[in-house]
Amino acid sequence: MKVADIFLCLNVLLTAGALVNAFDPITTSVGVGLFAAVGRTIYKYFHESCDTKWIAFNATGLKTDLDEKLFGQHLASRIILRAVSGFMSNENPKKPLVLSLHGWTGTGKNFVSKLIAENVYKEGMHSSFVHVFTSTLHFPHPSLIATYKSELQQWIKGNVSSCERSMFIFDEMDKMHPGLIDCIKPYLDYYDKLDGVSYRKSIFIFLSNAGGESIVQTTLDFWKAGRIREEMELKDVETSLSLSVFNNNKSGFFHTSLIDKNLVDFFVPFLPLEYLHIVQCALAEMKARNLPPDMDVADQVAKDLVYFPKSERVFSVKGCKTIESKLDYYT
């Protein structure tokens, strides 16, 4: 039903309501029932609900976004597209989709999470079915880990009970207290239902700087060997990445059963960004602001950033993290 049709019905019913005293009780009951039905229709039309009107995966949209908006991340783009597309097209997955995104700051981890949400939920990151947890904000005190575990379990169970197509994003996993994340292991495992609730159609995304050093070293080795980064394959980084994350005693993944029991479907490496990628980020931000592309400004923004190794200045230390503020300065 179109919005105009809904308001037309509502107007007719309101007019009829003014004449309600002229009808017998039976007619009045029918009118009230019809009014309530239209009211429910209006509520469902404007209020987000767990159905295909509000949740519908756009595989083409995700591919386009990854191709046109994510720079220098051929591995991440390929893995994310295949993983999410395969999962969302499966009507009966055996377990939730669990992605662990790793890399230095500014390489695109949060951005990719946003792109996934925008191509699954009509409301994107503003959807009531997308839930973001930030370690330093939601789990700041080590002495309260037992409380956090209980609350986290209840929160996930309650939200998945309301909508099985829920998405949970855990940011700053490298700052989470070791052992805390293990409390959600049962929800990520191969169970049809737990206490009457199925978690198999939910998506869990972990974001972490942990493992970044391993990714940077592998990328640097490729560069020193004269090989282009696009030749790098997942097998070149996945094993060392998962091991470095698992053995990092300052990370929320330290000796976690999620890794030990192979419940993380994909460890997604985000490579350090080069000068060219920074320029692309600057141009993309101009486009997002409806500004005409200015290569000179983009080049100046890229030159202002800090790169490493110090002598060669190959990789950006902060990726595209500060592009927005830099662009504010130059425009």
Side-chain angles (χ1 to χ4, degrees), residues 48-67:
E48 186 182 25
S49 54
C50 187
D51 56 40
T52 54
K53 173 178 169 16
W54 296 92
I55 305 174
F57 177 56
N58 183 355
T60 302
L62 180 59
K63 183 180 187 308
T64 300
D65 283 345
L66 291 171
D67 288 343

Side-chain angles (χ1 to χ4, degrees), residues 204-251:
F204 292 79
I205 302 177
F206 302 110
L207 312 180
S208 177
N209 290 347
E213 295 288 347
S214 171
I215 297 169
V216 167
Q217 187 58 54
T218 302
T219 311
L220 191 57
D221 290 343
F222 261 70
W223 178 79
K224 288 180 176 178
R227 301 173 65 184
I228 60 173
R229 64 194 285 135
E230 284 73 22
E231 292 179 359
M232 193 180 302
E233 299 180 13
L234 181 60
K235 65 181 181 181
D236 295 317
V237 293
E238 189 173 38
T239 301
S240 60
L241 172 58
S242 60
L243 284 174
S244 66
V245 170
F246 184 74
N247 292 316
N248 185 344
N249 61 9
K250 295 182 180 180
S251 167

Side-chain angles (χ1 to χ4, degrees), residues 89-297:
S89 64
N90 186 353
E91 288 298 319
N92 188 32
K94 300 301 181 185
K95 66 180 289 296
L97 176 63
V98 183
L99 303 173
S100 191
L101 315 187
H102 297 266
W104 277 12
T105 184
T107 51
K109 301 184 298 297
N110 280 286
F111 184 62
V112 163
S113 302
K114 177 175 174 285
L115 294 183
I116 295 173
E118 289 176 346
N119 286 285
V120 173
Y121 304 92
K122 184 177 180 180
E123 296 293 300
M125 290 297 291
H126 298 293
S127 171
S128 57
F129 307 123
V130 175
H131 313 281
V132 181
F133 299 92
T134 302
S135 296
T136 52
L137 175 63
H138 295 102
F139 317 113
H141 305 296
S143 60
L144 297 177
I145 287 183
T147 301
Y148 295 150
K149 285 184 177 181
S150 176
E151 290 177 345
L152 186 54
Q153 288 176 329
Q154 292 174 22
W155 182 255
I156 291 176
K157 180 179 179 180
N159 282 290
V160 176
S161 297
S162 298
C163 184
E164 61 182 357
R165 283 291 188 193
S166 292
M167 179 185 292
F168 300 92
I169 301 172
F170 292 83
D171 197 5
E172 297 183 343
M173 281 296 298
D174 48 304
K175 298 176 183 176
M176 183 177 285
H177 306 294
L180 174 57
I181 202 65
D182 275 342
C183 75
I184 68 170
K185 173 190 172 295
Y187 307 139
L188 310 185
D189 217 327
Y190 294 82
Y191 294 114
D192 286 340
K193 289 185 177 181
L194 288 171
D195 294 330
V197 179
S198 173
Y199 298 85
R200 294 182 299 167
K201 291 187 177 182
S202 296
I203 297 176
F204 292 79
I205 302 177
F206 302 110
L207 312 180
S208 177
N209 290 347
E213 295 288 347
S214 171
I215 297 169
V216 167
Q217 187 58 54
T218 302
T219 311
L220 191 57
D221 290 343
F222 261 70
W223 178 79
K224 288 180 176 178
R227 301 173 65 184
I228 60 173
R229 64 194 285 135
E230 284 73 22
E231 292 179 359
M232 193 180 302
E233 299 180 13
L234 181 60
K235 65 181 181 181
D236 295 317
V237 293
E238 189 173 38
T239 301
S240 60
L241 172 58
S242 60
L243 284 174
S244 66
V245 170
F246 184 74
N247 292 316
N248 185 344
N249 61 9
K250 295 182 180 180
S251 167
F253 280 124
F254 178 61
H255 287 186
T256 176
S257 58
L258 270 62
I259 296 178
D260 195 32
K261 301 298 182 183
N262 299 308
L263 297 180
V264 176
D265 297 301
F266 295 95
F267 288 93
V268 186
F270 281 72
L271 311 182
L273 300 181
E274 299 177 20
Y275 184 90
L276 171 64
H277 307 130
I278 306 303
V279 170
Q280 291 175 314
C281 284
L283 291 172
E285 180 62 22
M286 292 178 198
K287 182 178 180 180
R289 298 185 184 189
N290 294 317
L291 297 173
D294 190 324
M295 194 63 188
D296 290 335
V297 171

Side-chain angles (χ1 to χ4, degrees), residues 79-90:
I79 298 167
I80 293 294
L81 182 61
R82 290 181 180 178
V84 178
S85 297
F87 179 75
M88 292 300 295
S89 64
N90 186 353

